[in-house]
């Protein structure tokens, strides 16, 4: 079969390798669409901290069942999406039902080879029928589920005033699902074009440029109260630390972002505000189901989010093009 491999930072190659043979309990999926995310770009650029090369990337996946084990409820020819988090099922996280926090988790395309290939074999529990959802939309379910999980972690309701910091794809997902819960959503970013997109396509209620006066502007927008929930989706240490100052007294702060460095905050302010701090890692099965539900309800503007597409064969060239900020990529999809 054909596969796209990242041999080393900055080098992508189309290779031929053996088609995978499903182990007991595994489904062989013919991959049809692969969403490209920031993780893939970081791998390509050599910025991912926990990765060994060479690696076949790809964790935002949809396709068609080629073969499935008896009793799986899946059948050949069925359109599916893939949950890319391979959990052990035995550790304390899995025993508690938080499989996204599995101690031994392996993520397709990161810890093991992923789906930028014609075929992929994965455990049956990680293969979900898409129903009436298109293969294009199904390839976007995973990144949207990450934002949905962050919104769930923050316990967002229609009574909340929410600030989403960072309007990349994950931040956009958080906006979508916070809005779906009826919250008033302000978006903060350094890029005015991204801010404009969130207002025009995602119905953001207010915009805040992340400049030196952002705190003063936020105070004016909220009559000095600041925000019941702040969600950081920047992946930037400085922004994550700054975000504590936008949380209202009694508010919640959700870090969808993760960085290698330590982050710090003012303990007197944290204590005074009785801030609740949440980590938000990957997503859980109910988050994926919520994405599908909101897609079917017409609450996710997938056509607007999918700004770029191309073929697996063209990916070595396209990755270089899509990395340029002026390319305006929000979500790119490869057709396999």
């Amino acid at each position: 079969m054909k596969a796209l491999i990242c041999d080393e930072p900055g080098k992508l190659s189309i290779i031929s390798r053996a088609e995978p043979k499903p182990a007991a309990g595994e489904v062989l999926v013919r991959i049809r669409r692969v969403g490209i995310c920031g993780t893939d770009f970081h791998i390509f650029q050599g910025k991912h901290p926990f990765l060994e090369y060479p690696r076949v990337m790809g964790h935002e996946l949809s396709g068609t069942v080629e073969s499935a084990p008896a009793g799986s409820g899946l059948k050949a020819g069925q359109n599916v999406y893939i949950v890319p988090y391979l959990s052990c099922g035995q550790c304390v996280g899995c025993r508690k039902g938080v499989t996204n926090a599995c101690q031994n988790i392996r993520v397709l395309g990161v810890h093991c080879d992923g789906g930028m290939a014609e075929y992929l074999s994965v455990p049956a529990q990680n293969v979900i029928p898409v129903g009436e959802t298109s293969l294009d939309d199904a390839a976007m379910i995973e990144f949207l589920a990450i934002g949905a999980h962050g919104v769930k972690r923050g316990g967002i309701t229609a009574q909340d005033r929410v600030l989403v910091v960072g309007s990349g794809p994950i931040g956009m997902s958080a906006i979508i699902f916070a809005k779906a819960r009826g919250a008033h959503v302000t978006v903060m970013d350094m890029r005015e074009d991204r801010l404009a997109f969130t207002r025009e396509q995602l119905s953001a209620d207010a915009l805040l440029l992340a400049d030196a006066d952002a705190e003063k502007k936020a105070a004016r927008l909220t009559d000095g109260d600041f925000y019941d929930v702040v969600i950081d989706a920047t992946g930037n240490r400085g922004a994550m630390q700054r975000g504590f100052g936008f949380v209202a007294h009694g508010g919640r702060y959700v870090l969808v972002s993760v960085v290698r460095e330590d982050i710090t905050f003012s303990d007197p302010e944290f204590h005074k505000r009785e801030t609740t701090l949440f980590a938000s890692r990957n997503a859980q099965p109910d988050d994926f189901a919520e994405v599908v539900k909101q897609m079917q309800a017409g609450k996710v503007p997938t056509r607007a989010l999918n700004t770029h597409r191309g073929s697996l064969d063209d990916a070595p060239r396209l990755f270089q093009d899509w990395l340029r900020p002026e390319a305006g990529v929000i979500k790119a999809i490869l057709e396999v």
Side-chain angles (χ1 to χ4, degrees), residues 19-20 22 26-30 64-68 119-122:
E19 183 181 306
E26 289 189 341
V27 177
L28 182 64
V29 179
R30 172 72 165 91
T64 305
V65 173
E66 191 78 6
S67 65
Y119 294 93
L120 185 67
S121 184
V122 287

Side-chain angles (χ1 to χ4, degrees), residues 183-221:
H184 182 281
V185 179
T186 298
V187 184
M188 184 165 77
D189 200 287
M190 298 176 66
R191 288 180 55 174
E192 295 188 48
D193 60 328
R194 284 289 180 90
L195 290 175
F197 182 93
T198 65
R199 169 164 280 166
E200 294 162 7
Q201 301 294 340
L202 309 181
S203 302
D205 297 291
L207 308 178
L208 193 58
L209 191 63
D211 59 17
D213 295 324
E215 285 84 354
K216 293 178 182 178
K217 294 173 185 175
R220 288 197 296 269
L221 285 171

Side-chain angles (χ1 to χ4, degrees), residues 34-94:
V34 184
I36 308 301
C37 97
T39 296
D40 301 312
F41 287 128
H42 286 157
I43 292 170
F44 177 65
Q45 293 174 299
K47 295 180 179 179
H48 198 287
F50 310 117
L51 187 119
E52 294 182 3
Y53 297 89
R55 176 66 69 225
V56 174
M57 300 179 290
H59 61 274
E60 299 179 4
L61 308 169
S62 66
T64 305
V65 173
E66 191 78 6
S67 65
S72 67
L74 298 164
K75 58 185 180 181
Q78 198 169 19
N79 287 346
V80 295
Y81 68 86
I82 294 174
V83 177
Y85 319 128
L86 307 182
S87 54
C88 72
Q90 299 174 350
C91 72
V92 62
C94 290

Side-chain angles (χ1 to χ4, degrees), residues 139-294:
M140 291 191 274
I141 290 173
E142 191 271 343
F143 93 85
L144 290 162
I146 292 175
H149 185 66
V151 167
K152 181 181 73 177
R153 288 285 284 160
I156 289 172
T157 71
Q159 285 70 51
D160 286 321
R161 193 154 40 187
V162 176
L163 175 66
V164 175
V165 187
S167 58
I170 301 300
M172 290 184 185
S173 175
I175 297 164
I176 289 166
F177 292 98
K179 291 288 294 181
R181 291 184 175 217
H184 182 281
V185 179
T186 298
V187 184
M188 184 165 77
D189 200 287
M190 298 176 66
R191 288 180 55 174
E192 295 188 48
D193 60 328
R194 284 289 180 90
L195 290 175
F197 182 93
T198 65
R199 169 164 280 166
E200 294 162 7
Q201 301 294 340
L202 309 181
S203 302
D205 297 291
L207 308 178
L208 193 58
L209 191 63
D211 59 17
D213 295 324
E215 285 84 354
K216 293 178 182 178
K217 294 173 185 175
R220 288 197 296 269
L221 285 171
T222 61
D223 296 322
D225 290 342
F226 290 95
Y227 297 94
D228 302 299
V229 184
V230 176
I231 297 178
D232 182 274
T234 64
N236 179 278
R237 180 190 182 196
M240 293 163 74
Q241 295 181 155
R242 186 183 188 187
F244 284 89
F246 291 89
V247 182
H249 283 242
R252 289 99 71 195
Y253 190 21
V254 182
L255 295 179
V256 180
S257 292
V258 58
V259 292
R260 291 194 68 175
E261 309 97 330
D262 291 346
I263 61 169
T264 61
F265 54 87
S266 166
D267 186 56
E269 280 296 323
F270 184 78
H271 192 85
K272 181 174 72 175
R273 301 180 192 210
E274 200 176 46
T275 303
T276 302
L277 177 62
F278 292 96
S280 181
R281 185 187 189 194
N282 298 332
Q284 297 170 333
D286 62 317
D287 302 310
F288 284 83
E290 175 67 9
V291 173
V292 174
K293 174 186 172 182
Q294 297 300 342

Side-chain angles (χ1 to χ4, degrees), residues 301-312:
T302 51
R303 288 189 180 181
L305 293 170
N306 177 202
T307 54
H308 294 67
R309 63 191 305 117
S311 71
L312 189 71

